[in-house]
Amino acid sequence: TLVNKSKAIFYIKTRQELLKAMKKIFSGEYKNIETYRKKLISDFFYRLDGKATERIAKLIEEVCEK
């Protein structure tokens, strides 16, 4: 899915995963996360076309299918 490829969102399920992600973020390993986050927002909300809700619903469905 787009979210998984975006590199802007972390899926964390355990305390260990949280600690590992935090170490990577604070060490600078994810220094481009802000760029990825802006791209993700742009991809989903790039214009006011009245379909933002549809895009969000599709994203939620994709995440829930996992």
Side-chain angles (χ1 to χ4, degrees):
T1 67
L2 177 62
V3 172
N4 291 339
K5 294 177 185 177
S6 74
K7 299 180 185 178
I9 296 174
F10 295 95
Y11 290 105
I12 297 173
K13 297 179 183 177
T14 66
R15 182 174 187 266
Q16 290 78 22
E17 289 176 349
L18 175 61
L19 294 173
K20 186 176 178 181
M22 289 175 65
K23 285 179 184 177
K24 288 182 177 185
I25 291 168
F26 293 128
S27 73
E29 188 171 334
Y30 290 113
K31 60 186 170 206
N32 294 326
I33 195 165
E34 183 66 19
T35 302
Y36 297 137
R37 185 188 65 79
K38 287 180 180 178
K39 181 174 179 348
L40 178 69
I41 290 170
S42 175
D43 288 347
F44 278 100
F45 308 107
Y46 60 96
R47 60 184 168 155
L48 298 175
D49 61 359
K51 295 184 180 181
T53 302
E54 183 179 323
R55 288 190 290 274
I56 293 169
K58 182 178 178 185
L59 174 63
I60 292 169
E61 288 175 354
E62 289 177 5
V63 170
C64 288
E65 287 175 359
K66 291 190 171 243

